[in-house]
């Protein structure tokens, strides 16, 4: 399908084409495409931009990551397909950031394909290809993690993660930063620091903030983050946009 | 994946699994899965139920269909995968309802597979397998229709349709009934009678209304329908739910 750069939703449509292509290559599963569509709807309602509240969350996330002892970024098929370059760039900006393949629908071949995609983008020491530990409280096929990664992490950055796993990580006492466009999802509600923003925008915002902060901020405790407030702000942004949309634009105009 | 009947979103998850399975069989394209996810998000925001406003729209749609000279129901991959049985049941309830395979991503093999799925469910005289006419104003690959179906229809029922095509049908002077969960979509805004509801719920509601009305209502004109009001009511329902969600439930509870 050809896509005009002048299309009002060019960025969103380009992302969708990229994901559909990744699905054809087996990197992304059908359920991942459906999940992406849910995100698209929320992004559309948020105005397809990083809200000021999400920008503050990304800055807080950068500081938390820099101050963590063992931070790990969890990567599933959608994340690898959409943001392998951003994952590599964030790893360069956050010293010691582990990157772990963490799949809901895991097959050894898919885990290897995702690891390849990450390495090709420049990610070093990809974890989780051969899981060596388990998270308690999850069905066995979804509990698998890397003994050198999520299993021992004090802080997990979980983009596009399923609610059960987000809650399981919390129960283990790990600090959890989520990236999820749905402010009502269990993942967003379970997170200590929910970022309600589109994946690549959020990863870019965290990376830029980490670069600006630099290694000099590494010592010190994690400053508190008001998660319920961040979620309420995201709902407020959606609400404001719906209210505007209900007033206009006039019927039958292109949006 | 096993799915517990006690899961709070069992119905929605079952539909998703069915669609993922249809994608693996080639009936549904990756873009269709993403589109389904967008619908899921809006359905979630609507409370995963038929609103009173959508029920009124379905009743009006039944009367329009019964009074149409040549009504045609347009079927794409998602519709065939999710609602072939409902399509067949609606055809039995609306005398003379044409059913036409109408694909955004068309290949002859896919058109045939969808027609097979429809026939297996009991649909008679499936149109559109070998397109024989074109709709003006659309890229050639998406303009193809059946000379005995949409080309000559006075009323088109278009579930899950793309905005360009919905607008093209309107420009041809056809009455358009849409089924689309996004009240802001171009399809919903182009329709003379937009039904903002989930596909199978909406088709079921139209069929039941058509059965109740019966053939005695066939004569007469189409009563008017207030489309902007229906869309405003859908936005209002979403807004009310977001407001409730912003107040509670408490963090970290299952939703």
């Amino acid at each position: 399908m050809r896509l005009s750069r002048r299309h009002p939703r060019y960025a969103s449509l380009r992302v969708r084409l990229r994901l559909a292509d990744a699905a054809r290559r087996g990197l992304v599963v059908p359920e991942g495409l459906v999940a992406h569509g849910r995100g698209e709807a929320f992004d559309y309602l948020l105005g397809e931009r990083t809200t000021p509240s999400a920008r503050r969350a990304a800055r807080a996330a950068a500081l938390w990551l820099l101050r963590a002892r063992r931070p790990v970024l969890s990567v599933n098929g959608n994340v690898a397909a959409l943001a392998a370059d951003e994952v590599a760039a964030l790893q360069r900006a956050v010293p010691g950031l582990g990157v772990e393949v963490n799949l809901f629908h895991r097959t050894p071949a898919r885990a290897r394909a995702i690891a390849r995609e990450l390495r090709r983008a420049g990610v070093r020491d990809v974890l989780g290809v051969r899981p060596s530990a388990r998270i308690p409280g999850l069905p066995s096929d979804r509990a698998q993690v890397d003994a050198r990664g999520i299993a021992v992490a004090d802080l997990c950055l979980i983009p596009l993660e399923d609610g059960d796993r987000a809650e399981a990580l919390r129960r283990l006492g790990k600090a959890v930063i989520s990236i999820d466009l749905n402010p009502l999802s269990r993942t967003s509600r379970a997170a200590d620091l929910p970022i309600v923003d589109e994946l690549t925008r959020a990863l870019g915002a965290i990376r830029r903030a980490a670069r600006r902060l630099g290694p000099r901020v590494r010592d010190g405790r994690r400053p508190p983050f008001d998660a319920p407030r961040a979620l309420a702000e995201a709902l407020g942004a959606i609400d404001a946009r719906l209210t505007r949309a209900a007033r206009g634009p006039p019927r039958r105009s292109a949006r």
Side-chain angles (χ1 to χ4, degrees), chain A residues 42-246:
Chain A
F42 281 100
D43 201 21
Y44 173 69
L45 291 173
L46 282 163
E48 293 177 345
R49 71 200 158 84
T50 298
T51 63
S53 170
R55 200 171 306 280
R56 282 194 295 277
R59 280 199 296 262
L63 189 55
W64 282 29
L65 283 165
L66 289 169
R67 289 188 173 172
R69 195 172 35 79
R70 286 181 183 243
V72 173
L73 165 54
S74 165
V75 173
N76 63 22
N78 284 26
V79 174
L82 295 176
D85 292 342
E86 276 299 349
V87 167
L90 185 62
Q91 194 184 41
R92 287 190 294 272
V94 176
L97 179 65
V99 173
E100 175 162 343
V101 178
N102 188 13
L103 303 179
F104 193 94
H105 300 276
R106 178 183 280 273
T107 65
R110 210 174 145 235
R112 284 194 302 271
I114 288 169
R116 258 198 313 278
E117 190 85 357
L118 291 172
R119 284 192 206 101
R120 198 154 36 203
V123 176
R124 287 155 303 169
D125 296 325
V126 177
L127 301 164
V129 180
R130 274 176 295 276
S132 45
R134 290 178 177 277
I135 296 176
L138 286 177
S140 61
D141 55 330
R142 274 176 263 156
Q144 302 178 37
V145 290
D146 195 308
R148 298 167 303 145
I150 288 174
V152 292
D154 59 332
L155 171 63
C156 297
L157 171 56
I158 53 170
L160 318 183
E161 183 56 284
D162 127 85
D164 285 339
R165 283 216 293 221
E167 290 172 355
L169 293 174
R170 281 274 330 187
R171 280 195 300 271
L172 287 176
K174 298 177 191 301
V176 170
I177 303 174
S178 65
I179 300 175
D180 189 324
L181 278 156
N182 178 357
L184 300 170
S185 75
R186 282 194 296 138
T187 298
S188 289
R189 284 192 268 149
D192 299 281
L193 199 168
I195 303 176
V196 182
D197 199 3
E198 189 273 330
L199 174 69
T200 58
R201 293 198 307 263
L203 289 176
I206 299 171
R207 171 180 47 80
R208 287 189 297 274
R211 288 253 181 252
R212 269 195 306 274
L213 290 166
R216 67 193 152 74
V217 302
R218 290 208 61 174
D219 295 327
R221 294 167 59 100
R222 280 197 297 269
F225 184 81
D226 189 343
R229 181 179 160 181
L231 297 181
E233 286 167 344
L235 286 171
I238 292 175
D239 198 38
R241 200 170 141 79
L242 279 174
T243 306
R244 274 197 305 280

